[in-house]
Amino acid sequence: MSNSTLSSLSGRTVLVTGATSGIGYETARQLAERGTTVLLHGRTAEEARAAADRLVATAGVREDQLAFYAADFTRLEEVEQFASAVVAEHPHLDVLVNNAGMAAPERHTVTADGNEIAFQVNFLAHYLLTCLLEPALTSDPGGRVGRIVNVSSSLHRTASISWADPNRARRYSRLAAYAQSQLALTVFAADPRVTAVSVHPGVCDTALLPLYAHQGVSPVEGAAHVVRLCDPAVEIVNGAYYDREERVDPAPAATEDRTVRRLTKLADLLVGRTA
C-alpha cells in the first residue's frame, strides 16, 4: 500500500518503545510519514537521537514531528523518570506502542531490581510505563481514550507463567523465559483498566529472529501490522490478539479474568506499586 492511499494521522501523538531499530524504528517511520508526532524511545539518549536524525535525513520526516527519550528498561527507576518526562511534555497520548524487547540470555540473569531480565524488559517495564502514562492516555477533553498496542509473539502460546518462581531461578530456560514474558504482555492487553490489543507482527528479520527461524520478513512488513492498529479508523476490541492482520484467539490463559487479576497483583509487587 502506497503512502498516497493511507489516511493521514496528523494531529495524533504516538509513543513507540524500542524505536531505534527493527520493528520499532519502522513503526516510528511509517507513523511519522503519515503525519503523526512520534515520541521515540531508546535505551540510551545517543541511540534515540540517532534514530530521530536518521528519520529526518532518510525518510523526509520533519524534525518538529519527533521527540526522543531514553530509558534502560533493566532499571525501573529510569522507566519512572521516562514516564514523568513524557507526561510533563506531552499531556495527551493517542497511542502507546509497547514494542521494546530482548531475547532472554543463555544464562539466568537478574536485574538490579531483582527480576529476571527478559521478564522485566519485555513485560514489567511496559506494565509500569503503561500505568504511569495513564493520565496522558485518558486526558483527551473529548473523552477519547488512548489505546495501547503490545507487540507480542506467537510464542506466548507455548508459555506458562511460573507464579511461584517468576524469575525462573530454579528451572531456567531462555526460551521458556522469553515465552513467559510474551504471555504476560498478551495477558496485560486484557486488563480492563486499559484499552489495548496485542499483535504478533510475523517472524521478522530482527535481532529476535534466532528465537523463531532462520529467515523472516522485513521489519517494514512487520511494522505495517503494528501501525494499522494505531489507526483510529481501525476498530479494536479490548484484549484482542492479532496474528498480523487477522484477529485470532490467543492462548486461553490470556483471556481468563483470574489470570489477568493474578498477573496484575504479581506485576504490582515486582515493580513496587501499591494498590
Side-chain angles (χ1 to χ4, degrees), residues 20-272:
T20 59
S21 64
I23 291 171
Y25 176 82
E26 291 300 333
T27 295
R29 181 183 63 78
Q30 291 177 34
L31 286 167
E33 287 179 346
R34 290 173 66 180
T36 307
T37 295
V38 183
L39 314 186
L40 304 155
H41 158 259
R43 188 177 58 85
T44 66
E46 292 76 19
E47 290 175 6
R49 182 191 296 274
D53 289 346
R54 185 174 157 206
L55 286 171
V56 171
T58 65
V61 175
R62 298 193 323 273
E63 202 168 330
D64 63 2
Q65 281 181 259
L66 305 174
F68 62 88
Y69 298 87
D72 183 341
F73 278 11
T74 67
R75 298 180 178 276
L76 294 178
E77 182 182 14
E78 291 194 19
V79 176
E80 293 174 351
Q81 294 165 352
F82 168 35
S84 294
V86 170
V87 171
E89 295 167 20
H90 297 274
H92 176 70
L93 283 179
D94 292 288
V95 186
L96 166 61
V97 179
N98 287 324
N99 164 78
M102 64 172 290
E106 293 286 354
R107 290 177 174 271
H108 184 258
T109 306
V110 175
T111 68
D113 298 293
N115 304 306
E116 190 276 316
I117 192 168
F119 197 58
Q120 177 164 322
V121 170
N122 298 347
F123 167 62
L124 291 173
H126 284 119
Y127 176 86
L128 177 60
L129 179 65
T130 303
C131 291
L132 295 174
L133 291 179
E134 186 176 347
L137 287 162
T138 57
S139 67
D140 187 83
R144 184 178 64 193
V145 177
R147 67 174 62 173
I148 295 127
V149 179
N150 291 339
V151 181
S152 180
S153 163
S154 59
L155 285 177
H156 87 274
R157 297 185 185 281
T158 70
S160 62
I161 296 174
S162 180
W163 299 108
D165 182 26
N167 282 346
R168 295 184 173 265
R170 291 192 290 274
R171 193 173 183 181
Y172 180 77
S173 150
R174 72 182 301 229
L175 195 56
Y178 177 77
Q180 173 180 260
S181 71
Q182 298 307 303
L183 175 58
L185 197 60
T186 305
V187 171
F188 181 41
D191 188 323
R193 296 175 301 170
V194 298
T195 301
V197 294
S198 51
V199 57
H200 169 59
V203 176
C204 299
D205 189 5
T206 68
L208 296 177
L209 180 63
L211 288 171
Y212 296 90
H214 294 297
Q215 58 185 27
V217 301
S218 74
V220 174
E221 190 173 326
H225 301 301
V226 179
V227 172
R228 188 181 77 88
L229 294 170
C230 296
D231 190 332
V234 176
E235 292 187 14
I236 62 170
V237 176
N238 191 42
Y241 171 75
Y242 293 84
D243 188 330
R244 287 153 288 192
E245 287 198 5
E246 186 179 357
R247 184 182 167 192
V248 298
D249 290 333
T255 56
E256 293 172 354
D257 290 343
R258 179 173 178 269
T259 301
V260 174
R261 291 194 301 269
R262 198 174 184 186
L263 181 66
T264 299
K265 188 175 180 179
L266 175 65
D268 281 342
L269 176 69
L270 296 180
V271 303

Side-chain angles (χ1 to χ4, degrees), residues 3-21:
N3 283 348
S4 61
T5 63
L6 294 170
S7 61
S8 169
L9 295 177
S10 62
R12 299 181 69 78
T13 302
V14 180
L15 168 59
V16 182
T17 70
T20 59
S21 64

